Each structure stands twice: as structure tokens, then as C-alpha cells.
Amino acid sequence: MERSLRAARVATYVYFVLCGTLMGAWVVHIPAIETRVGIGHAALGGLLVLLGLGAFGGMRAAGPLTDRLGARAVVPASGVLCAASLVLPALAPDPWTLAGALLVFGFANGCLDVSMNAHAVHVEQAYGRPVMSGFHATFSVGGVIAAGAAAASAAAGLGPAATLALLGAAGAATALLTARSLLPGGAAPTGDGPAPEAPGGSSETPAAPAVPVGSSADSGVRRRIRVLAVLALMVMLSEGAANDWSALHLKDVLGAPASTAAFAYGTYAAAMTTGRLLADRVSARYGAAAVLRYGAATAAVGITVAALTPWVWAAFLGWALFGLGLSGCVPQLFSAAGHADPAAAGANVSRVAGLGYLGMLAGPAVIGWLTHLTALNHAFLLLTLLCAVTAAAAAVLRPAGPATAPAAQTRASAPAGGPAGGPH
């Protein structure tokens, strides 16, 4: 079983890379598709909202479906659907068909996002120590693969449709070939996996028994999921703002050349990837609550420095701290949602991820709206507030108190009758 668990972990990495590659492939071809369809930036912005709405719908659908059918069925099916729909935007002849293509691609991407995160929760439960941040770090690797593939195909004279079709075919094959390594039914193997570690704080990771529906423990889980979803909204709103406004901040506020300003987002993204590669070890040693508390506090300091400094070098430092601080926050929130009730891991992850994703979509728009009232750098202080609130609420990630234990133990000893084989 230990070998199968390692294989499941590798498979989860593969699906995260796949998801990042497919989304990255769409992103790098946006300018070419925009030109082909003949639309402007404003129209494109409206169509991108449809992509987000499709993803939100996919997330809400895939969570309960993963709990019911198991990750081994839903993850590869979502991967194939996402890969197959990748070429659709490049084939769209007009804005209306592009809108439909983006809805389908967004829905498929949302399904893959939630189902692979639900499976990651079960892999983490089996390991008995934090591994979620490492999975999220590899998503960025997919973006690098997509950029390289786009550059190679352009050099070979291939158009967007051919490139996306080839990447989609490779992605569908990868999703199918990797499926056999996923945990059966999304459930963690028992008794033969790596032994749970017990360094300080790691007690937050091991799985809890399923929670009885309608019990006081179930009400507590629901409240906990709502809090986690709100925190995900605030954290991912901050991430979305960084994605769209970091380079413009250096160019428009600090007067940096465009070539220099472009490195603002690069600095932020590199710091976030590095932080996610390290966050699992930090979480295992100090606990998920500490990662969220001190990570969000670091992010608050970083964005405040970026917002208030008159120096370009200090702004780079601020964006780096912002990315490093935020890096471990979303994985800890997704992990906590999945562990709150193992029988409903997919549904709970979908609730947290769905609201968080809406926050990421809203982030750029919120900052843009605030620029009508104040300078761009001063609008960033809203992100300082959101990160500070997140840090203050980090105690929600601490293990549930003993009050909920008896109810959970009752469910654990009762005959199984909940969702079959289900596993952010």
C-alpha cells in the first residue's frame, strides 16, 4: 500500500501540472484569439467573466460528484473534458461562439480544480502530514510548460488552434494514463501508508471521522466551512489584485520602465512558488494556523511597503513579501475544508474554492473601482486590511475541540451509509 500511496501522490502532482498547463495555454494565446475574433479589450473582459462563471459552476458541481463517485472517476474525466475543450476558444469564429467556448472550458477547469484538490486532501490524510502546498506549487510549473510550448509552436509556424489541439490531446492522454494511480474511490489507504508524524502542530492534518448529518458537530463543520470560505475570498481577492495590478503599480505610480515593471509580477509569482515549496515543512512543524497567521501578516506588511514606498527596489521587496506571505494561505484553507468532514471533502472544498475563486475574479475589479476614489497605491491598503483580518482569524485552522469528538466517534462506529467513496 505504501507504494500505491506514493504513486497517488505523484499522480496528484501530475494533475496539478496538467491543470496549470491547460489554463496557461489559454492565457498565452489570449492576444491571438482576441485578434482572430475581432474584439477589443472591453469585450474580452466581459467574456473572461463568463470563463470565471463557468469555473464557479464546475467547482460547485464537481465537489459533491467527487464525494459520490470518487476521485478516481471524476479527476480523469474532468482532465479529459478540460483538455478536449481547450481548443474550442481558438476555433470560435465570433464573440458569441467564443462566449460558449469559454463557458465550457471554464466549467471543465473548475471540475478539474476541485476534484484534484479533493483527492489531494485524501493523499494528505494518508500521509498524516502536510503535503497540500507542494501540490499547489506545481500548478505554476504548468504555466512554464504552456509558455514554452507556445513559443516552440510559434517558431514552428503553428497557429493557436493547432497548438491548443496538440496540447489538448497530450493533456487528455496524460489524464487517462495517470488515472490508475489515483486512490480507489478517493479514500486513503489505511494501516500501510507512511506513519503520521507528530511534530508541533501536525495534529491539524490527520483525518477526522465523518461527521453525523444534523448533529451539533455537523453544525460546527458548516460554520467552520463558512469562515474558511470567507477567508479564501479575502486571500484570493488579494492574489487576483496582484496578478493584474502589480506591473501597472510600478509603471504608473513609481514611473518604472515597462521592462522593469514587468518584473513586479515575476517577483511576486517567484516568491509565491518558493513559499509553497516550503510551506508543507513549516506547517508540519508549527501547524496550519501558524502558516496562515504569520503568512497573512507577512503579506500585510509586504503590500503596505509596496503601497507606500517611493522607491522601485522597495516595491519589489514589498511584492516579494506579499507573494511569500500569501503562498501558504490558500493550500491551508483548502486542506482544512477537506479535513473538516472526510465524507464531504469534495463538497466542502468546492464551497471554499468557489467563493475564493469569485474573490480572485473580483480582486482586479475592486482595485480598479477604488482608483476612482484614490490613487492606485493607496487602493492597495484594502489588501492590507484583508490580510490583517485573515491573520486575526487564523485560529479557525486549529483542531476542533473535544466537544465535537463524541459525535464524530458515534458516526465512526456506526454502519456506513453516507456518500460512497468520496474524497478543495
Side-chain angles (χ1 to χ4, degrees), residues 203-219:
S203 60
E204 298 172 36
T205 300
V211 177
V213 176
S215 68
S216 59
D218 181 51
S219 299

Side-chain angles (χ1 to χ4, degrees), residues 320-341:
L321 288 174
F322 192 53
L324 183 65
L326 291 178
S327 62
C329 294
V330 167
Q332 303 307 318
L333 293 170
F334 284 13
S335 179
H339 292 304
D341 181 3

Side-chain angles (χ1 to χ4, degrees), residues 88-160:
L88 296 181
L91 299 176
D94 56 62
W96 292 105
T97 22
L98 180 58
L102 291 179
L103 270 173
V104 173
F105 178 62
F107 180 87
N109 184 263
C111 289
L112 178 58
D113 192 313
V114 161
S115 60
M116 71 185 185
N117 270 286
H119 183 263
V121 166
H122 282 283
V123 172
E124 186 175 63
Q125 288 171 349
Y127 267 85
R129 58 183 170 87
V131 295
M132 180 67 82
S133 293
F135 294 137
H136 282 250
T138 58
F139 181 89
S140 303
V141 176
V144 176
I145 293 174
S153 65
L158 296 178

Side-chain angles (χ1 to χ4, degrees), residues 9-421:
R9 186 179 182 185
V10 172
T12 310
Y13 281 126
V14 171
Y15 281 108
F16 271 81
V17 173
L18 174 63
C19 188
T21 302
L22 296 176
M23 179 54 71
W26 149 250
V27 169
V28 298
H29 285 94
I30 286 177
I33 293 173
E34 181 185 38
T35 301
R36 181 180 184 277
V37 177
I39 56 176
H41 294 338
L44 177 64
L47 291 174
L48 291 178
V49 172
L50 294 178
L51 176 72
L53 291 176
F56 179 75
M59 289 177 179
R60 296 310 301 264
L65 199 62
T66 304
D67 293 332
R68 187 174 302 115
L69 302 179
R72 182 175 277 186
V74 179
V75 174
S78 299
V80 171
L81 178 61
C82 190
S85 61
L86 175 64
V87 71
L88 296 181
L91 299 176
D94 56 62
W96 292 105
T97 22
L98 180 58
L102 291 179
L103 270 173
V104 173
F105 178 62
F107 180 87
N109 184 263
C111 289
L112 178 58
D113 192 313
V114 161
S115 60
M116 71 185 185
N117 270 286
H119 183 263
V121 166
H122 282 283
V123 172
E124 186 175 63
Q125 288 171 349
Y127 267 85
R129 58 183 170 87
V131 295
M132 180 67 82
S133 293
F135 294 137
H136 282 250
T138 58
F139 181 89
S140 303
V141 176
V144 176
I145 293 174
S153 65
L158 296 178
T163 302
L164 295 180
L166 288 173
L167 285 173
T174 300
L176 291 173
L177 291 174
T178 310
R180 61 183 299 177
S181 296
L182 296 175
L183 297 177
T190 57
D192 298 300
E197 299 180 1
S202 64
S203 60
E204 298 172 36
T205 300
V211 177
V213 176
S215 68
S216 59
D218 181 51
S219 299
V221 167
R222 290 178 180 273
R223 287 193 297 271
R224 181 181 175 90
I225 294 301
R226 284 195 289 267
V227 174
L228 292 173
V230 171
L231 293 179
L233 171 71
M234 294 191 290
V235 170
M236 295 179 73
L237 188 152
S238 300
E239 290 186 11
N243 292 344
D244 282 30
W245 292 104
S246 52
L248 286 172
H249 165 238
L250 262 73
K251 181 177 178 292
D252 295 347
V253 176
L254 300 182
S259 57
T260 301
F263 282 101
Y265 176 73
T267 300
Y268 160 83
M272 173 167 281
T273 302
T274 301
R276 284 184 170 169
L277 290 173
L278 299 174
D280 286 330
R281 294 182 181 181
V282 177
S283 179
R285 185 181 181 97
Y286 299 106
V291 173
L292 184 62
R293 178 180 298 109
Y294 296 109
T298 300
V301 171
I303 194 61
T304 302
V305 169
L308 300 181
T309 185
W311 302 299
V312 170
W313 66 266
F316 278 123
L317 175 61
W319 285 113
L321 288 174
F322 192 53
L324 183 65
L326 291 178
S327 62
C329 294
V330 167
Q332 303 307 318
L333 293 170
F334 284 13
S335 179
H339 292 304
D341 181 3
N348 288 335
V349 167
S350 72
R351 294 183 183 105
V352 174
L355 195 59
Y357 194 77
L358 289 181
M360 179 169 281
L361 291 174
V366 169
I367 296 298
W369 179 79
L370 286 176
T371 59
H372 293 292
L373 305 176
T374 186
L376 173 60
N377 56 318
H378 294 156
F380 290 153
L381 295 177
L382 171 65
L383 309 182
T384 301
L385 176 62
L386 296 180
C387 290
V389 171
T390 301
V396 71
L397 294 190
R398 288 177 180 162
T404 64
Q409 291 167 2
T410 300
R411 169 64 177 270
S413 61

